[in-house]
Amino acid sequence: MSSIPFESLPLDPTGSPGNAWGRFGRDDQLGTLNLLTPEVIVEAAKEIRTGVRISLDWPLSMPTYPSFERDPFQQQIVHRRPNCINDDILTFNTQGSTQWDGFRHYAHQQSKRFYNGHTQEEIESSDVLGLHVVTEAGGITGRGILLDYAGWADEHDIALSPLTSSSIPIAHLTQLMHDHAIRPRPADILFIRSGFTRAYHALSDADRHALARRPSPDFIGLEASEAAVRWLWEHQFAAVAGDAPSFERAPIRGAHADKRFNLHEWVLAGWGCPIGELFDLERLAAHCRETGRYEFFLASVPLKVVGGVATPPNSVAIF
């Protein structure tokens, strides 16, 4: 549990609602990744027992047509004639496929301030909050836990609609953890499987094209509520991630969402907790169900781009 009660937020009274600015120092650029201490990593490594490794990255070319008006992945093979040598040139939006959102991605929209109070002007004129800092600190590496909500919902005859705007209730996740005997520890890295990638793979190419061009980006995600931010804060996750295009229910604003508790503003900009999206959790979920183990060692090393905003995670779960 956090040594700082939820009721003590915001820590910086001049900042955004619920912020934890200054918790790790005024110049901190790692946020909750500071919880991944050497001692935590050593303990997390005890989850490695069988050596089974499962990639959690979707191919960079998936989804075929990204939502939110992002350009799709492109690859150009360059034959270095006259030699039999190839290069390739990749062009992609770092948020077009599996991604970690860094602290430069999303600010508190009303105040226009990023984690620890940084401004857009600072982002554009320096490398502050860049993801290279995360890489230099050892990446996002520690004990991962999977909450297989899609599998749990199947077991309880709860109909899911991952390709529509729908919420994953905190009450359901609490019951799921009880049923699967999952006991989160501070500094765990949370993954929630909604079944989005399963639903996406079942679509035709035409359906995928239409999905990306809907007037509203409607997708399943965690409920945006006081209950959600309290639950996340109390568990003190080092990072949180899901398999849908948005960690929270999308669109992230609207009548369905409590505008006081926008998760991107609270979690990413307020606490400095990285948010992951579009992770491929299908093989992971199958292995967890087969073995009855929902905890694993996670190794994820962001691209070392100075001033990077977001990144493919380059992630693997190790059992």
Side-chain angles (χ1 to χ4, degrees):
M1 304 294 283
S2 169
S3 59
I4 302 173
F6 182 82
E7 286 71 24
S8 297
L9 302 178
L11 295 187
D12 184 340
T14 69
S16 62
N19 78 74
W21 297 349
R23 176 187 182 187
F24 300 106
R26 292 178 57 87
D27 298 324
D28 176 60
Q29 299 188 57
L30 291 175
T32 54
L33 297 180
N34 283 290
L35 300 174
L36 297 171
T37 63
E39 295 77 14
V40 165
I41 301 302
V42 169
E43 192 64 26
K46 295 178 182 177
E47 298 295 342
I48 302 176
R49 304 172 197 170
T50 64
V52 172
R53 294 159 293 172
I54 300 173
S55 171
L56 306 184
D57 288 33
W58 227 3
L60 282 171
S61 55
M62 294 292 286
T64 314
Y65 308 101
S67 297
F68 305 104
E69 300 180 352
R70 290 174 174 139
D71 292 333
F73 169 83
Q74 296 181 46
Q75 179 187 29
Q76 178 187 357
I77 301 293
V78 180
H79 181 191
R80 303 292 300 273
R81 294 180 175 86
N83 298 307
C84 191
I85 299 172
N86 292 313
D87 291 351
D88 62 350
I89 299 172
L90 309 181
T91 304
F92 62 98
N93 186 316
T94 53
Q95 294 183 339
S97 185
T98 311
Q99 72 205 245
W100 285 116
D101 288 348
F103 305 148
R104 293 177 142 230
H105 170 53
Y106 207 95
H108 177 252
Q109 296 301 289
Q110 184 174 355
S111 66
K112 295 180 170 36
R113 295 174 75 186
F114 295 84
Y115 172 62
N116 248 3
H118 291 287
T119 65
Q120 181 66 26
E121 290 71 26
E122 291 176 283
I123 297 297
E124 294 179 2
S125 63
S126 71
D127 60 14
V128 66
L129 300 183
L131 275 165
H132 64 289
V133 177
V134 175
T135 307
E136 289 169 355
I140 301 177
T141 303
R143 192 179 89 137
I145 62 171
L146 173 68
L147 303 188
D148 183 6
Y149 183 63
W152 182 87
D154 290 344
E155 294 168 3
H156 290 78
D157 295 321
I158 298 172
L160 295 184
S161 185
L163 306 182
T164 66
S165 183
S166 52
S167 291
I168 298 174
I170 291 298
H172 285 187
L173 295 184
T174 301
Q175 185 61 49
L176 182 160
M177 288 193 298
H178 177 270
D179 293 348
H180 290 175
I182 298 172
R183 297 176 178 84
R185 302 195 301 234
D188 278 353
I189 301 160
L190 171 69
F191 292 88
I192 301 175
R193 175 178 174 256
S194 71
F196 171 81
T197 52
R198 177 177 65 180
Y200 191 86
H201 279 295
L203 297 177
S204 67
D205 185 73
D207 288 340
R208 294 178 183 182
H209 191 272
L211 185 75
R213 283 153 181 78
R214 294 179 300 176
S216 176
D218 293 353
F219 298 109
I220 194 171
L222 190 62
E223 66 173 84
S225 66
E226 181 176 355
V229 294
R230 279 183 174 273
W231 183 81
L232 291 168
W233 180 260
E234 287 167 359
H235 285 299
Q236 285 297 291
F237 297 115
V240 298
D243 59 352
S246 175
F247 179 70
E248 62 198 283
R249 177 179 175 178
I252 64 175
R253 300 187 189 277
H256 60 275
D258 190 329
K259 62 183 180 181
R260 299 171 299 168
F261 299 104
N262 178 281
L263 298 191
H264 272 65
E265 291 185 337
W266 276 69
V267 176
L268 195 64
W271 303 341
C273 179
I275 292 177
E277 292 155 336
L278 289 170
F279 276 75
D280 183 2
L281 305 179
E282 295 304 300
R283 285 180 56 212
L284 176 68
H287 184 77
C288 289
R289 285 194 299 273
E290 179 183 343
T291 61
R293 289 183 58 199
Y294 291 85
E295 301 86 10
F296 48 90
F297 186 83
L298 175 79
S300 174
V301 182
L303 296 178
K304 198 168 185 178
V305 177
V306 175
V309 172
T311 179
N314 306 308
S315 58
V316 60
I318 309 175
F319 288 86

